[in-house]
Amino acid sequence: MSTEETPLLGDQPHSNSCQQNHDVLPSEAIYDRFTPAQKRVILAIVSLTGLVPMFVGSSFIPSIPQISRDLNTTPAAVTLGVSLSVFSSSLSVMFWSGYTSFYGRRPIYLWGMPFTILGSFAVAACTDLSGLLFWRSVQTFGCSAGYALGGATIGDIYRVEERGTAMGTFLAATLLGLAIAPPIGGILAAYWSWRGFQVSLGVWAIIQMLMMFLFFPETAHPGSRGIDKEQGPKRLIIWINPFRCLYFLRSPNVLAITLANTFALLSDYTLLVPLAYTIGARYGISSEALIGMLFLPNGAGNFLGAPFAGRFSDNAVLQAREKRKGVYYPEDRLRAAWLGSLVLSPLSVTLAGFTTTYIDGTVGLVINLICLFANGVGVDMVLTPIGTYTVDIMPSRSAEVMAAISALRSLLIAPASALILPLVDTIGVAATNSISGVLCLVGYLLVWLTIRYGAQMRAYADVGYPDFTARNKLMDDEGDSCRE
C-alpha cells in the first residue's frame, strides 16, 4: 500500500527538455485504491453508460423508412442524420476529453447527460428534417464521450495485465447495444412509434445520470488532474481547447492504429447502414421489426467477441513479457488484433457482398447472417486490443488519446457512411464491400508495422510517452533484489 513516503505516481526519468509534458507510469499501489467488488461496480456503471450512445445511434437506422415517410422526405436525406451524428460525436468527444483530464471522470459524465436528455425529447418532437438533424447532433453531443471516458476509467483502476479483460467486458456490454438496439428500435417503430422510443431514451438518460451521481466515485489518479495542479484559488470554469487532443495524432503509433481502427469499423458500417436496401431488399424483408432483427448477428458477434479479444490481448502481453524475461513493450498487445484485421473483418464483409449479389433464397440469407456475426467478432478483435493499447501508452491522458482516435475515426466515417448507399446504387454491393475488405487489409498492415517498429515510432514523434525502458529497468532491479 502507498504511504506518504511512497507516492502513488512513481517518479520516472525523462528528457530534461520536455519533462513536464511526459506522462508517468503509475506505481502498482495506485490500483489498490478500490476493492475488486468496487471495481466491478464501476465497470458495470461505465459499461451501462456506454450503452446509451449505441442506442442513440443504432436504434435510429431501422426507423429510417418510417421517419422519411413521417417527415415527408427521402431515406437518403434522413440517413444524413446518421452521418451528422457521427460528425457531432467527433467534436463532442474532443470537447469532453480535454475537460476530463482537468476535472476528472465523474464531473464530465454528469455534465454530458443533460444534453442527451434534452436532445432525446427534442428529437421526438421534431416536425421537419432540419430540426431532426440539429437535435440529433445535440443528443449525440451529450453521450458520445462514453467510449473515451469508459476506457480512461478502466485504465485508472486496472493493472496492465488485467486491463484487456476489463476493456473486453466494457466493450461487450457497450456493444450489446449493437445487438439489441436495432431490433428494439425496429419493433417499436413498427408497433408503436419512433418518437416514443426517443422519449424512452431521454428517460433512460435521466436514470443513468442519477446512478452516476449516487454510485460513481472519482477514479482519476490522485494528483493527475489539471485542477489538482492549480496554484492558488481553484477556478470553477476554465477554457480548454477541444482540439488540443489532435496533437497526439502526430505520433505514427496513434495515427496508424487510428486508421486500422477506422477501416475495421467501416466494414461494420458498410454492412449495417444500407442493410434495409441490400440484404432486406434482396431477400424480401421490408418490415422495420424484421430489418431490426437482421442486426442481431452482428451485435451478438460484438458481444461475444469483445471478452475473448480482451483476454487474448492480456495473454499476448503476459506471454511476450515472459518470453523476454520481464521486459514489457506496450505494442505486444496489438498482436491480438491479427485475426480480426487480417481474416474475419475483410473476409466477412467481402463474402457478404458477393453473397447478396449472386446467391438467392434462404442459403444466401443464412450466409449473410453468418458474415454479420463474423464481422462483429472481427471488429472487436481489432477495437479491443487497440483501445487497451491506447490506455497502456498514455495512462493519465488516455481519454484525450482515445478522443483523438475517435474524432479522426468519426470524421473519416461520417462522409464514408454517407457515401455507402449511393456507392451501392452506383457500383453494386459486391464492389462496395470489396473496397471495404481491402481497407481492412490495409489496417492489418498498419497494425503489423506498429508491432514491428513501435518503439522507433514512439521515439520518432514523442508526444509525451512514459519511459518504458526506465520502468523495465526498475522492474528488473526489483527482481534482482528479490532474488538476492
Side-chain angles (χ1 to χ4, degrees):
M1 295 297 292
S2 61
T3 66
E4 292 181 359
E5 290 74 34
T6 307
L8 288 175
L9 295 176
D11 295 332
Q12 302 292 333
H14 305 291
S15 166
N16 291 332
S17 62
C18 53
Q19 180 173 355
Q20 72 276 12
N21 295 324
H22 279 67
D23 205 343
V24 293
L25 290 170
S27 69
E28 293 297 299
I30 202 167
Y31 299 110
D32 295 328
R33 294 175 300 152
F34 300 103
T35 66
Q38 289 174 318
K39 291 179 181 180
R40 287 192 292 270
V41 170
I42 293 170
L43 181 58
I45 291 175
V46 298
S47 299
L48 189 59
T49 304
L51 269 175
V52 177
M54 292 298 172
F55 267 84
V56 168
S58 300
S59 63
F60 186 79
I61 296 174
S63 304
I64 288 175
Q66 187 185 92
I67 295 173
S68 64
R69 293 192 299 269
D70 195 10
L71 300 183
N72 194 27
T73 186
T74 64
V78 177
T79 303
L80 287 175
V82 177
S83 301
L84 195 59
S85 65
V86 172
F87 180 74
S88 173
S89 172
S90 69
L91 295 178
S92 67
V93 74
M94 290 191 293
F95 177 84
W96 295 122
S97 69
Y99 283 98
T100 195
S101 294
F102 188 85
Y103 290 108
R105 319 303 182 205
R106 175 181 160 88
I108 305 308
Y109 271 122
L110 294 174
W111 294 348
M113 282 296 174
F115 289 94
T116 302
I117 295 167
L118 175 62
S120 298
F121 290 135
V123 167
C126 284
T127 57
D128 55 52
L129 181 63
S130 59
L132 176 74
L133 297 180
F134 174 77
W135 288 112
R136 278 278 298 170
S137 298
V138 173
Q139 184 186 37
T140 306
F141 179 82
C143 63
S144 293
Y147 173 70
L149 289 176
T153 301
I154 288 169
D156 292 339
I157 63 177
Y158 285 101
R159 292 178 170 84
V160 170
E161 61 272 15
E162 305 168 333
R163 200 171 286 158
T165 301
M167 184 69 79
T169 302
F170 167 68
L171 287 177
T174 300
L175 295 176
L176 176 64
L178 290 179
I180 61 178
I184 290 176
I187 290 170
L188 291 179
Y191 299 106
W192 184 27
S193 167
W194 66 272
R195 297 181 186 275
F197 186 66
Q198 294 299 317
V199 171
S200 68
L201 287 177
V203 173
W204 180 7
I206 293 173
I207 296 172
Q208 188 67 50
M209 185 176 177
L210 290 174
M211 288 181 57
M212 194 64 69
F213 179 78
L214 294 173
F215 303 114
F216 185 77
E218 180 55 63
T219 63
H221 294 170
S224 66
R225 298 180 303 171
I227 197 170
D228 297 330
K229 302 170 186 176
E230 284 276 284
Q231 302 295 327
K234 305 294 185 184
R235 291 176 292 172
L236 181 62
I237 299 177
I238 65 164
W239 166 251
I240 295 177
N241 180 2
F243 298 103
R244 74 174 191 176
C245 65
L246 298 179
Y247 167 79
F248 293 108
L249 293 174
R250 67 184 292 268
S251 166
N253 304 64
V254 177
L255 183 59
I257 62 172
T258 300
L259 293 176
N261 184 309
T262 300
F263 295 151
L265 193 60
L266 186 59
S267 69
D268 239 5
Y269 278 79
T270 302
L271 290 173
L272 299 181
V273 169
L275 191 144
Y277 305 97
T278 53
I279 297 176
R282 181 71 169 84
Y283 300 102
I285 302 171
S286 57
S287 165
E288 287 90 346
L290 292 178
I291 289 172
M293 296 295 286
L294 292 176
F295 286 77
L296 276 173
N298 184 264
N302 289 140
F303 181 68
L304 297 175
F308 171 75
R311 289 187 179 276
F312 194 21
S313 71
D314 279 345
N315 288 336
V317 170
L318 292 171
Q319 289 171 6
R321 191 158 60 182
E322 183 178 352
K323 185 177 180 180
R324 297 197 198 95
K325 302 186 185 310
V327 176
Y328 164 67
Y329 291 104
E331 287 76 26
D332 292 332
R333 188 178 299 280
L334 297 177
R335 299 179 189 276
W338 73 269
L339 181 60
S341 57
L342 179 62
V343 181
L344 292 176
S345 294
L347 182 61
S348 60
V349 70
T350 304
L351 181 59
F354 280 93
T355 299
T356 302
T357 302
Y358 297 109
I359 301 180
D360 297 324
T362 303
V363 174
L365 179 59
V366 170
I367 294 175
N368 267 297
L369 295 178
I370 294 172
C371 288
L372 287 167
F373 175 81
N375 184 260
V377 175
V379 169
D380 270 359
M381 293 292 293
V382 179
L383 265 59
T384 303
I386 285 178
T388 313
Y389 171 73
T390 302
V391 179
D392 293 343
I393 58 176
M394 292 292 286
S396 68
R397 300 188 68 183
S398 56
E400 291 183 78
V401 182
M402 295 181 80
I405 292 174
S406 296
L408 180 57
R409 182 182 67 196
S410 297
L411 288 173
L412 293 174
I413 286 181
S417 61
L419 289 173
I420 290 172
L421 193 54
L423 202 59
V424 168
D425 291 336
T426 303
I427 66 175
V429 64
T432 301
N433 287 27
S434 296
I435 293 172
S436 181
V438 170
L439 289 176
C440 289
L441 295 177
V442 173
Y444 167 74
L445 177 62
L446 293 171
V447 170
W448 181 85
L449 289 171
T450 307
I451 295 170
R452 180 68 178 81
Y453 301 106
Q456 296 95 316
M457 291 162 67
R458 279 187 275 116
Y460 175 78
D462 188 349
V463 292
Y465 293 117
D467 192 338
F468 293 101
T469 302
R471 172 52 64 91
N472 285 330
K473 186 177 184 303
L474 178 63
M475 297 298 290
D476 187 53
D477 291 343
E478 288 178 355
D480 290 342
S481 299
C482 292
R483 285 190 289 273
E484 291 174 1

